[in-house]
Amino acid sequence: VEPRRRQRDLNLAVVKALSMRVARRASSRRVWRSHIGDSMISLDTRILKIAAVGAFWMTSAASAATGAARPPAGPVAACERLQGFVVPPFEIGLSTSGATVVSVKPVAASGTGAKALPDYCEVTGKISPLDRSAPDIQFKVGLPAQWNGKIVMFGGGGFDGTIPDITGNVPNGPVDELVPLGRGYATFASDSGHQANALGSQDGRFGLNDEAVRNFGGDALKKTHDAALAIIKARYGHWPHKAYFAGGSTGGREAVTAIQRWPSDWDGAIAWYPAWDDAAALLGGQRMNRALAKPGAYLSVGKRKALYDAAMQACDSLDGVADGLISDQQQCNARFDPVTATLNGAPLRCRNGADTGDNCLSDPQIEALKTINSTTHFRFRLVSGETQYPGYNVWGADLGITTRSSPVEPVVTFLAFGTSQPANPMPATAPYISVLTDQWFKYAVTRDPDFNSLSIDPEQPGVWANRISELSSQLDASTDISAFRRHGGKLLLVHGLADVLVSTRATEEYYRRLQEQFGIRQVDSFVRFYEIPGMGHAVSSTFNATWDSLSALEQWAERGKAPVAQVTTDTAGVPGRTRPLCDYPEWPRYVGGDVNRAESFQCSR
């Protein structure tokens, strides 16, 4: 046994050394290439592949020489045996220096009911870059003792920078159902190729490195997928038979990016509030940011509540009942105007437009809100083809009413207008989008950490137009998912109507483009899109939506049963109340009965 162990360690060392040599040589000299099918494989990579195969046979020979018995065919490898496991570069679909398992940890079963987790193996790994100055991609894989043969990859949020919880749920998943790992899925996720500082998901320093930018734009998805599947194959002896991606916000962009760029890797995807046109969204957010930074434009908490209450008084009953939710948001947007609106019979606009207190809005505040509600038009060319970013449904949205007692309100405030006005330098407590755009312009666009980001006009960025255009090609996802459709894939899109971080109207545009490309009937065969009244970005004190999207996706992708009569449950506004999930452009209209039950509403146009 000892000679075999020494031989195995020697073989792994050879493969690792060759992997490092390939990476160094690929970046320092011209590489001879040969065509194999549709792919290009370097001479060094072919040498490495031969070496890896040779290492396998050398290990086998050593085992035979020592008389050691071979394991039975197809056994489940022990968790500890994955320590130091190497995924060579040729097994990863995009260029890397290979992946390595840096630690493994057997985890005992825990929890009960919906919180139950099985015995599983937690694998932590890293994918090494070609550019030695670029960060690694750090990732984790959860390998349950009893595998159901399926995988779920989790997306991140903001600028990523941390590894999502592989023991967690899909975005806005139900609280009374097992999480994917608990259901027997192998799960995995990565930090998208950089490690965040104290700013967490708003840290944009990775923008200084081109490979890190490409990884965040989408390359890390493929690299992580391929490395994780090599580990899963080593653990269980076979590939998964179903593969799903689940993410929200940036994770939603990652979901639609993954199925568009690598359609054969995925059987289904769940995309909540997806920032699919990310460069366009950052530009739209910059226009909001600059509007709120103007003198007197930032809304106090009292003014946010006054605006919210005025919008509810004007629009709540448009769906047939005053239930604290605006379901017919389109009609609300058409009829609500803060200049003429009233609050408890008094004008919402302050007298003469001056700022006279928290119960009214001044003219600078109204101007900022109208800017946020309107479209950002790009007067320069983006490589991605995007020409605008739509406004946000700000009428009836919770912009961060910190006086609310809901336990999720701090998160709502953090993701909405924050607690500080945008300024230069940018306060960490400014609106989430303000910090995000500040970091993006400083590190990815200008690459000057001292740059005043507020000086950039997102509609006419001047000397920075070409750089922004270049970045759009990496950040904005294409809506052409025809190959995913041919593969038989299914896509679930969900967005809250009161989202002021990622515009709901942008997801509507994504869906309309699918309908234009495929036709309404064909889109219905593989995509569902739901909008949820009262739901903000990720969380909401008004209607904190949950839905068992994974089960719906399983039924559709595995049994051909398309989602029908789906229901979402609130866990914060009125805990336990339900609403129907209506196929866009339908919305829930009250028809009578208990206002807190989904069956009291009918999906209408």
Side-chain angles (χ1 to χ4, degrees):
V1 174
E2 186 57 33
R4 182 179 62 171
R5 182 180 293 114
R6 287 198 300 270
Q7 183 64 59
R8 180 196 65 193
D9 293 343
L10 174 61
N11 296 336
L12 286 174
V14 169
V15 173
K16 287 181 180 178
L18 281 168
S19 296
M20 294 175 64
R21 179 169 174 249
V22 167
R24 287 196 300 269
R25 294 178 67 184
S27 61
S28 62
R29 66 170 179 80
R30 205 169 115 199
V31 179
W32 289 71
R33 293 184 178 273
S34 61
H35 283 283
I36 299 181
D38 292 329
S39 60
M40 298 283 288
I41 300 180
S42 72
L43 178 62
D44 279 342
T45 300
R46 286 186 283 124
I47 292 172
L48 178 58
K49 190 168 186 176
I50 293 169
V53 172
F56 170 79
W57 287 111
M58 289 167 65
T59 302
S60 299
S63 298
T66 57
R70 291 185 180 183
V76 176
C79 183
E80 292 84 352
R81 288 181 58 190
L82 292 172
Q83 178 67 48
F85 181 80
V86 173
V87 183
F90 62 79
E91 289 193 16
I92 299 174
L94 295 177
S95 297
T96 74
S97 296
T100 307
V101 171
V102 297
S103 67
V104 297
K105 181 174 70 173
V107 182
S110 63
T112 59
K115 296 183 179 181
L117 290 175
D119 292 329
Y120 72 96
C121 178
E122 180 186 277
V123 177
T124 301
K126 67 175 182 179
I127 303 170
S128 300
L130 290 180
D131 176 3
R132 283 185 285 182
S133 67
D136 293 328
I137 300 171
Q138 297 184 359
F139 68 96
K140 286 188 177 183
V141 186
L143 304 168
Q146 299 298 318
W147 185 38
N148 65 8
K150 299 185 286 188
I151 62 171
V152 167
M153 181 175 182
F154 294 112
F159 285 147
D160 294 330
T162 58
I163 304 173
D165 182 8
I166 59 171
T167 68
N169 211 341
V170 298
N172 298 87
V175 296
D176 56 352
E177 295 287 344
L178 288 169
V179 299
L181 186 61
R183 299 187 191 195
Y185 279 87
T187 60
F188 57 93
S190 82
D191 60 9
S192 86
H194 61 274
Q195 295 74 53
N197 63 8
L199 282 177
S201 63
Q202 296 166 296
D203 175 20
R205 293 171 305 151
F206 72 94
L208 296 172
N209 182 275
D210 289 340
E211 187 169 349
V213 169
R214 291 194 298 272
N215 281 334
F216 173 72
D219 285 5
L221 302 173
K222 178 61 173 173
K223 296 173 183 178
T224 302
H225 168 275
D226 290 359
L229 258 64
I231 292 168
I232 289 167
K233 174 69 159 54
R235 176 73 169 85
Y236 300 111
H238 61 90
W239 304 110
H241 64 264
K242 287 294 176 184
Y244 303 125
F245 195 110
S249 195
T250 289
R253 171 181 65 83
E254 291 168 343
V256 297
T257 296
I259 65 173
Q260 189 270 322
R261 292 180 61 182
W262 304 284
S264 62
D265 285 349
W266 305 102
D267 299 291
I270 301 165
W272 282 75
Y273 32 92
W276 65 272
D277 49 349
D278 201 10
L282 287 164
L283 293 171
Q286 171 73 348
R287 186 160 169 264
M288 178 197 301
N289 180 31
R290 281 162 54 98
L292 291 173
K294 291 181 178 180
Y298 189 67
L299 278 70
S300 67
V301 172
K303 290 177 180 292
R304 299 175 198 183
K305 185 176 186 304
L307 173 65
Y308 178 87
D309 290 345
M312 295 304 297
Q313 289 179 22
C315 301
D316 188 1
S317 297
L318 294 176
D319 55 12
V321 64
D323 59 352
L325 298 174
I326 299 174
S327 297
D328 190 354
Q329 187 69 50
Q330 186 173 3
Q331 187 178 172
C332 182
N333 290 344
R335 69 184 292 174
F336 185 81
D337 184 343
V339 174
T340 58
T342 60
L343 175 60
N344 300 322
L348 179 62
R349 178 176 179 260
C350 296
R351 185 178 179 85
N352 298 322
D355 193 340
T356 58
D358 275 353
N359 292 325
C360 62
L361 302 179
S362 69
D363 283 350
Q365 290 151 3
I366 290 173
E367 181 184 356
L369 291 167
K370 287 195 168 188
T371 297
I372 294 167
N373 179 56
S374 63
T375 300
T376 301
H377 296 278
F378 309 139
R379 297 181 176 89
F380 66 106
R381 177 181 174 273
L382 291 180
V383 173
S384 67
E386 299 305 316
T387 60
Q388 62 181 30
Y389 191 75
Y392 305 79
N393 293 331
V394 71
W395 315 137
D398 182 350
L399 304 178
I401 306 173
T402 56
T403 51
R404 287 184 166 184
S405 60
S406 171
V408 301
E409 189 61 35
V411 181
V412 173
T413 300
F414 171 66
L415 294 173
F417 277 16
T419 57
S420 300
Q421 184 174 24
N424 181 47
M426 191 63 66
T429 50
Y432 187 94
I433 191 64
S434 301
V435 178
L436 209 66
T437 57
D438 180 63
Q439 291 279 301
W440 189 61
F441 284 116
K442 284 180 174 177
Y443 292 102
V445 177
T446 68
R447 290 182 162 170
D448 177 1
D450 297 320
F451 186 81
N452 178 8
S453 65
L454 289 172
S455 68
I456 291 187
D457 180 347
E459 296 183 304
Q460 301 180 95
V463 296
W464 304 112
N466 288 340
R467 175 58 178 165
I468 293 171
S469 179
E470 177 189 354
L471 289 168
S472 75
S473 67
Q474 300 169 27
L475 293 177
D476 291 347
S478 168
T479 55
D480 183 3
I481 54 174
S482 52
F484 177 69
R485 173 177 169 267
R486 290 193 298 271
H487 178 64
K490 309 299 181 186
L491 171 63
L492 300 176
L493 295 167
V494 195
H495 210 138
L497 278 171
D499 192 334
V500 292
L501 180 55
V502 175
S503 176
T504 314
R505 302 175 203 172
T507 307
E508 294 171 359
E509 175 63 22
Y510 181 93
Y511 188 68
R512 278 193 295 266
R513 291 188 193 180
L514 296 182
Q515 291 181 321
E516 291 170 1
Q517 178 182 358
F518 301 107
I520 294 176
R521 181 172 298 180
Q522 290 300 323
V523 169
D524 285 346
S525 71
F526 77 110
V527 182
R528 288 292 184 274
F529 173 33
Y530 308 112
E531 292 184 331
I532 303 178
M535 180 68 182
H537 192 81
V539 294
S540 172
S541 296
T542 305
F543 191 99
N544 200 49
T546 60
W547 173 44
D548 189 2
S549 55
L550 182 57
S551 291
L553 186 60
E554 287 174 329
Q555 290 292 316
W556 202 5
E558 299 171 23
R559 298 174 178 83
K561 296 181 179 179
V564 295
Q566 298 294 300
V567 171
T568 178
T569 302
D570 181 11
T571 64
V574 180
R577 70 171 163 178
T578 56
R579 287 290 183 274
L581 285 175
C582 297
D583 294 317
Y584 177 81
E586 296 182 340
W587 46 269
R589 182 190 296 277
Y590 180 70
V591 294
D594 186 344
V595 74
N596 291 321
R597 296 182 64 85
E599 53 265 33
S600 301
F601 293 80
Q602 180 178 344
C603 292
S604 306
R605 292 184 183 232

